[in-house]
Each structure stands twice: as C-alpha cells, then as structure tokens.
Amino acid sequence: MDQEWDDDSGAVMRAVGRQIKLWREAAGLKQVELGAAIGYGEELVSAVERARRIPRPEFLDGADEVLGAGGKIAAMKKDVAEARYPKKVRDVKKLEAEAVELGSYNNSVIDGLLQTEEYSRAVFGGRRPAFTEDELERRVAARMARQEIIDATTARPLFNFVQCESTLRRPLGGRLVFA
C-alpha cells in the first residue's frame, strides 16, 4: 500500500529516493545487490527509491557506506526523521518545544507525552477503521518522538498533567503496557 504523505514529507521522500537511486546506478548496482549489501530486501530498496517507504537511519548509513557517498546519503537522516511524522505532529512538536508550560487533562487515555510505546500502539491499534501496519508504526514513532521534550537536557517547559483515574484503571493494551 502506498504511504500517505503531506506535501513537505512527500517532497523530502521523493528527493531521498531519487538520490539513493542515482548513487546506486552510478555504483552499477541493482536494487537486489544494494539490499543484500546493507541487509535489506530488494522490495524495500525499491519502495524507498519510489518514496513509498521511509528508510531507517541504518538503511541510509549502510547505503552511504556501500555506495561510497562520503556522508551525502547519511546526511539526509535528519530530514527523513522529520518527514517520518505527520504534519500535525511536526507542528505540535514545534509548538511544544517553544512552550514555557504544558498542561493537559485527559479522561479517555493517558496523555501522549506520558505513554509508553506499547500503550501508544494499543491506543492507535484500537482505531476503526484500523490503520495500516505502516501508518500504525509511523504514528507510534511520532508519538515517541514528541517525548524528546521530556528528556531534554536544555531548558524545558513546566509540565502539568491531570489524568482521570479511569485512564489508569482501564486495561487498554494490558497491564504490562504501563511498565
């Protein structure tokens, strides 16, 4: 299934895919050969080149090394990481990074900034109609990336979370997702 992109993300992913394809062809490698050399399948290499899948940082590092790009492919990791997330999440993340104080009240689920990866997966996994596996993973990754603000070593906002007791007692995803 084709990945859904907003305009900004789509442009980034098309540029990354085009560059990987150009470097691969210049090296005289087929998709299957590049995939084998970096530990990925031909289908994933093809999907990345066609901007259908988001390459992981390890994919970009491996391609950079195998194709002799001298850091030019690996340098796209930051752009790819930002494009990985939906525009709404990128916008929220920017606002949160500039905030002096963040407050939240939630009576249905634990606030996204406090969710474990497993809990987040359970929340998104309960959506109807269901997300595709790729979209589910993209949303979970985006939620986890927002939490960088909590771990920041620089100045960060003051946090104030109020959770309805039911969000802590509801067995969404099972008890282990709270660990």
Side-chain angles (χ1 to χ4, degrees):
M1 177 176 280
D2 289 352
Q3 181 72 50
E4 295 292 325
W5 304 112
D6 57 60
D7 290 343
D8 294 340
S9 293
V12 169
M13 297 317 304
R14 286 188 298 277
V16 168
R18 190 169 34 256
Q19 285 299 308
I20 291 171
K21 182 177 181 179
L22 289 169
W23 280 97
R24 178 184 57 75
E25 289 174 343
L29 295 177
K30 296 182 185 310
Q31 290 176 338
V32 67
E33 295 169 324
L34 174 60
I38 63 174
Y40 291 92
E42 175 184 9
E43 182 57 36
L44 181 64
V45 173
S46 173
V48 167
E49 287 183 358
R50 292 179 293 127
R52 301 288 188 244
R53 292 287 305 268
I54 301 168
R56 292 190 167 280
E58 302 83 25
F59 180 102
L60 295 172
D61 286 337
D64 190 89
E65 183 178 331
V66 168
L67 299 174
K72 292 175 183 78
I73 294 174
M76 295 186 281
K77 288 190 287 191
K78 183 177 185 290
D79 298 313
V80 169
E82 289 178 9
R84 175 178 300 274
Y85 310 121
K87 182 173 180 2
K88 178 173 85 172
V89 172
R90 292 193 311 265
D91 293 344
V92 167
K93 191 174 176 186
K94 284 178 190 173
L95 290 171
E96 287 174 343
E98 296 171 5
V100 174
E101 182 175 353
L102 289 174
S104 171
Y105 168 79
N106 207 319
N107 66 357
S108 57
V109 296
I110 293 174
D111 187 86
L113 287 174
L114 302 175
Q115 292 178 5
T116 64
E117 184 173 336
E118 295 79 13
Y119 185 88
S120 178
R121 188 168 278 109
V123 169
F124 288 126
R127 179 183 182 266
R128 297 296 177 255
F131 287 122
T132 64
E133 188 64 31
D134 283 344
E135 183 61 19
L136 176 74
E137 291 307 314
R138 185 173 182 222
R139 289 180 181 264
V140 169
R143 171 117 341 137
M144 296 300 103
R146 278 185 54 218
Q147 293 179 359
E148 291 171 1
I149 193 170
I150 294 172
D151 296 329
T153 56
T154 59
R156 55 180 160 221
L158 173 66
F159 296 103
N160 182 7
F161 297 100
V162 177
Q163 290 291 150
C164 185
E165 182 179 353
S166 64
T167 64
L168 301 173
R169 295 190 179 274
R170 187 173 296 118
L172 183 62
R175 297 194 70 67
L176 293 178
V177 301
F178 288 95

Coordinates of all heavy atoms in Angstrom, one line a residue, residues 5 13 16 20 38-40 44-45 47-48 53-64 73-81 84-85 117 121 133-134 136-138 140-142:
W5 N 1.5 10.9 2.3 CA 2.5 12.0 2.6 C 1.8 13.3 2.5 O 0.9 13.5 1.7 CB 3.7 12.0 1.7 CG 4.4 10.8 1.5 CD1 4.5 10.0 0.4 CD2 5.3 10.1 2.5 NE1 5.4 8.9 0.6 CE2 5.8 9.0 1.9 CE3 5.6 10.5 3.8 CZ2 6.7 8.2 2.6 CZ3 6.5 9.6 4.5 CH2 7.0 8.5 3.9
M13 N 10.8 12.8 0.7 CA 11.0 11.3 0.5 C 11.3 11.1 -1.0 O 12.0 10.2 -1.3 CB 9.7 10.5 0.9 CG 9.5 10.6 2.4 SD 11.0 10.4 3.5 CE 11.6 8.9 2.9
V16 N 15.0 12.0 -1.4 CA 15.8 10.9 -0.9 C 15.9 9.7 -1.8 O 16.9 9.2 -2.1 CB 15.4 10.6 0.6 CG1 16.0 9.3 1.1 CG2 15.6 11.7 1.5
I20 N 19.2 8.1 -3.7 CA 19.6 6.8 -3.5 C 19.7 6.0 -4.8 O 20.7 5.3 -5.1 CB 18.7 6.0 -2.5 CG1 19.0 6.6 -1.1 CG2 19.0 4.5 -2.5 CD1 18.0 6.2 0.0
I38 N 23.4 -4.2 2.3 CA 23.1 -3.4 3.5 C 22.1 -4.1 4.4 O 21.7 -3.6 5.4 CB 22.6 -2.0 3.2 CG1 21.3 -2.0 2.4 CG2 23.6 -1.2 2.4 CD1 20.6 -0.7 2.2
G39 N 21.8 -5.4 4.1 CA 20.9 -6.2 4.9 C 19.4 -5.9 4.8 O 18.7 -6.1 5.7
Y40 N 19.0 -5.5 3.6 CA 17.6 -5.3 3.4 C 17.2 -6.0 2.1 O 18.0 -6.3 1.2 CB 17.3 -3.8 3.3 CG 17.4 -3.0 4.6 CD1 18.6 -2.4 4.9 CD2 16.3 -2.9 5.4 CE1 18.7 -1.7 6.1 CE2 16.4 -2.2 6.6 CZ 17.6 -1.7 7.0 OH 17.8 -1.0 8.2
L44 N 12.2 -3.5 -0.3 CA 12.4 -2.3 0.5 C 13.2 -1.2 -0.2 O 12.9 -0.1 -0.2 CB 13.0 -2.6 1.9 CG 13.1 -1.4 2.8 CD1 11.8 -0.8 3.1 CD2 13.9 -1.7 4.0
V45 N 14.3 -1.7 -0.9 CA 15.1 -0.7 -1.7 C 14.2 -0.1 -2.7 O 14.2 1.2 -2.9 CB 16.3 -1.4 -2.3 CG1 17.1 -0.4 -3.2 CG2 17.3 -1.9 -1.2
A47 N 10.9 0.3 -2.7 CA 9.9 1.1 -2.1 C 10.5 2.5 -1.6 O 9.9 3.5 -1.7 CB 9.3 0.4 -0.9
V48 N 11.8 2.4 -1.1 CA 12.4 3.7 -0.7 C 12.7 4.5 -1.9 O 12.5 5.7 -1.9 CB 13.7 3.4 0.1 CG1 14.6 4.6 0.2 CG2 13.4 2.7 1.4
R53 N 8.2 4.0 1.1 CA 8.6 3.7 2.4 C 9.7 4.6 2.9 O 10.5 5.2 2.2 CB 9.2 2.2 2.5 CG 8.2 1.1 2.2 CD 7.3 0.9 3.3 NE 7.8 0.6 4.6 CZ 8.2 -0.6 5.1 NH1 7.9 -1.7 4.3 NH2 8.7 -0.7 6.2
I54 N 9.7 4.8 4.2 CA 10.7 5.7 4.9 C 11.9 4.9 5.3 O 11.7 3.9 6.0 CB 10.1 6.4 6.1 CG1 8.8 7.2 5.8 CG2 11.1 7.2 6.8 CD1 8.0 7.6 6.9
P55 N 13.1 5.2 4.8 CA 14.2 4.5 5.2 C 14.6 4.7 6.6 O 14.5 5.9 7.1 CB 15.3 4.9 4.2 CG 14.9 6.3 3.8 CD 13.4 6.3 3.9
R56 N 15.0 3.7 7.3 CA 15.5 3.9 8.7 C 16.9 4.5 8.6 O 17.6 4.4 7.6 CB 15.6 2.5 9.4 CG 14.2 1.9 9.7 CD 14.4 0.7 10.6 NE 13.1 0.3 11.1 CZ 12.5 0.8 12.1 NH1 13.0 1.9 12.7 NH2 11.3 0.4 12.5
P57 N 17.4 5.1 9.7 CA 18.8 5.6 9.7 C 19.8 4.6 9.3 O 20.8 4.9 8.6 CB 18.9 6.1 11.2 CG 17.6 6.3 11.7 CD 16.7 5.3 11.0
E58 N 19.6 3.3 9.8 CA 20.6 2.3 9.5 C 20.6 2.0 8.0 O 21.7 1.7 7.4 CB 20.2 1.0 10.2 CG 20.2 1.1 11.7 CD 18.8 1.6 12.2 OE1 17.8 1.5 11.5 OE2 18.8 2.2 13.3
F59 N 19.5 2.1 7.3 CA 19.4 2.0 5.8 C 20.3 3.0 5.2 O 21.1 2.8 4.3 CB 18.0 2.0 5.4 CG 17.8 1.9 3.9 CD1 17.3 0.7 3.4 CD2 18.0 2.9 3.0 CE1 17.1 0.5 2.0 CE2 17.8 2.8 1.7 CZ 17.4 1.5 1.2
L60 N 20.1 4.3 5.6 CA 20.8 5.4 5.0 C 22.3 5.3 5.3 O 23.1 5.5 4.4 CB 20.2 6.7 5.5 CG 18.8 7.0 5.1 CD1 18.3 8.3 5.9 CD2 18.6 7.2 3.6
D61 N 22.7 4.9 6.5 CA 24.1 4.7 6.8 C 24.7 3.6 5.9 O 25.8 3.8 5.4 CB 24.3 4.4 8.3 CG 24.0 5.6 9.2 OD1 24.2 6.7 8.8 OD2 23.7 5.3 10.4
G62 N 24.0 2.5 5.8 CA 24.5 1.4 5.0 C 24.6 1.7 3.6 O 25.6 1.4 2.9
A63 N 23.6 2.4 3.0 CA 23.6 2.8 1.6 C 24.8 3.8 1.4 O 25.5 3.7 0.4 CB 22.3 3.4 1.2
D64 N 25.0 4.7 2.3 CA 26.0 5.7 2.2 C 27.4 5.0 2.1 O 28.2 5.3 1.2 CB 26.0 6.7 3.4 CG 26.9 7.8 3.2 OD1 26.5 8.8 2.6 OD2 28.1 7.7 3.6
I73 N 24.5 10.7 1.7 CA 23.2 10.0 1.9 C 22.9 10.0 3.4 O 21.8 10.3 3.8 CB 23.3 8.5 1.3 CG1 23.4 8.6 -0.2 CG2 22.0 7.8 1.8 CD1 23.5 7.2 -0.8
A74 N 23.9 9.7 4.2 CA 23.7 9.7 5.7 C 23.3 11.1 6.2 O 22.5 11.2 7.1 CB 24.9 9.2 6.4
A75 N 23.7 12.1 5.5 CA 23.3 13.5 5.9 C 21.8 13.7 5.8 O 21.3 14.7 6.4 CB 24.1 14.5 5.1
M76 N 21.1 12.9 5.1 CA 19.7 13.1 4.9 C 18.9 12.5 6.1 O 17.6 12.7 6.1 CB 19.2 12.5 3.6 CG 19.8 13.2 2.4 SD 19.1 12.6 0.8 CE 20.1 11.1 0.6
K77 N 19.5 11.9 7.1 CA 18.8 11.3 8.2 C 17.9 12.3 8.9 O 16.8 11.9 9.3 CB 19.8 10.6 9.2 CG 20.4 9.4 8.6 CD 21.2 8.6 9.7 CE 22.5 9.3 10.0 NZ 23.3 8.5 10.8
K78 N 18.4 13.5 9.2 CA 17.6 14.4 9.9 C 16.3 14.8 9.2 O 15.2 14.8 9.7 CB 18.4 15.7 10.3 CG 17.6 16.7 11.1 CD 18.5 17.9 11.4 CE 17.9 18.9 12.4 NZ 16.8 19.6 11.7
D79 N 16.5 15.0 7.9 CA 15.3 15.4 7.1 C 14.3 14.2 7.0 O 13.1 14.4 7.1 CB 15.7 15.8 5.6 CG 16.6 17.0 5.6 OD1 16.3 18.0 6.3 OD2 17.7 17.0 5.0
V80 N 14.8 13.0 6.9 CA 14.0 11.8 6.8 C 13.3 11.6 8.1 O 12.1 11.3 8.2 CB 14.8 10.6 6.4 CG1 14.0 9.3 6.6 CG2 15.3 10.7 5.0
A81 N 14.0 11.9 9.2 CA 13.4 11.7 10.6 C 12.2 12.7 10.7 O 11.1 12.3 11.3 CB 14.4 11.9 11.7
R84 N 9.2 11.6 8.6 CA 8.5 10.4 9.1 C 7.2 10.7 9.8 O 6.3 9.9 9.7 CB 9.5 9.7 10.0 CG 8.9 8.5 10.7 CD 10.0 7.8 11.6 NE 11.2 7.4 10.9 CZ 11.3 6.3 10.3 NH1 10.3 5.4 10.3 NH2 12.4 6.0 9.7
Y85 N 7.1 11.9 10.3 CA 5.9 12.2 11.2 C 4.9 13.0 10.4 O 5.2 13.8 9.6 CB 6.3 12.9 12.4 CG 7.5 12.1 13.1 CD1 8.7 12.8 13.4 CD2 7.3 10.8 13.5 CE1 9.7 12.1 14.0 CE2 8.4 10.1 14.1 CZ 9.5 10.8 14.3 OH 10.6 10.1 14.9
E117 N 5.6 3.1 24.6 CA 5.4 2.7 23.2 C 4.3 1.7 23.1 O 3.5 1.8 22.2 CB 6.8 2.2 22.7 CG 6.7 1.9 21.2 CD 8.0 1.5 20.6 OE1 9.1 1.9 21.2 OE2 8.1 0.8 19.6
R121 N 0.8 2.1 21.0 CA 0.5 1.1 20.0 C -1.0 0.6 20.2 O -1.7 0.4 19.3 CB 1.5 0.0 19.9 CG 1.3 -1.0 18.8 CD 2.5 -1.9 18.6 NE 3.5 -1.2 17.9 CZ 4.7 -0.8 18.4 NH1 4.9 -1.1 19.6 NH2 5.6 -0.2 17.7
E133 N -0.4 -1.3 8.9 CA 0.7 -1.5 9.8 C 1.7 -0.4 9.7 O 2.3 0.1 10.7 CB 1.3 -2.9 9.5 CG 2.4 -3.3 10.5 CD 1.9 -3.5 11.9 OE1 0.7 -3.9 12.0 OE2 2.7 -3.3 12.8
D134 N 2.0 0.1 8.5 CA 3.0 1.2 8.3 C 2.5 2.4 8.9 O 3.3 3.1 9.6 CB 3.2 1.4 6.8 CG 4.1 0.4 6.1 OD1 4.8 -0.3 6.9 OD2 4.1 0.4 4.9
L136 N 0.4 2.7 11.4 CA 0.4 2.5 12.9 C 1.8 2.7 13.4 O 2.0 3.5 14.4 CB -0.1 1.1 13.2 CG 0.0 0.7 14.7 CD1 -1.1 1.4 15.5 CD2 -0.1 -0.8 14.8
E137 N 2.8 2.2 12.8 CA 4.2 2.3 13.2 C 4.6 3.8 13.1 O 5.3 4.3 13.9 CB 5.1 1.4 12.4 CG 4.9 0.0 12.8 CD 5.0 -0.3 14.3 OE1 5.9 0.2 14.9 OE2 4.1 -1.1 14.8
R138 N 4.2 4.5 12.0 CA 4.5 5.9 11.8 C 3.9 6.7 12.9 O 4.6 7.6 13.5 CB 4.0 6.3 10.5 CG 4.4 7.7 10.1 CD 3.9 8.0 8.6 NE 4.3 9.3 8.3 CZ 3.6 10.2 7.6 NH1 2.4 9.9 7.2 NH2 4.1 11.4 7.3
V140 N 3.0 5.7 16.0 CA 3.7 5.4 17.3 C 5.0 6.0 17.4 O 5.4 6.6 18.4 CB 3.8 3.8 17.5 CG1 4.7 3.5 18.6 CG2 2.4 3.2 17.6
A141 N 5.8 6.0 16.3 CA 7.1 6.6 16.2 C 7.0 8.1 16.4 O 7.8 8.7 17.2 CB 7.8 6.3 14.9
A142 N 5.9 8.7 15.9 CA 5.7 10.2 16.0 C 5.4 10.5 17.5 O 5.9 11.5 18.0 CB 4.6 10.6 15.1

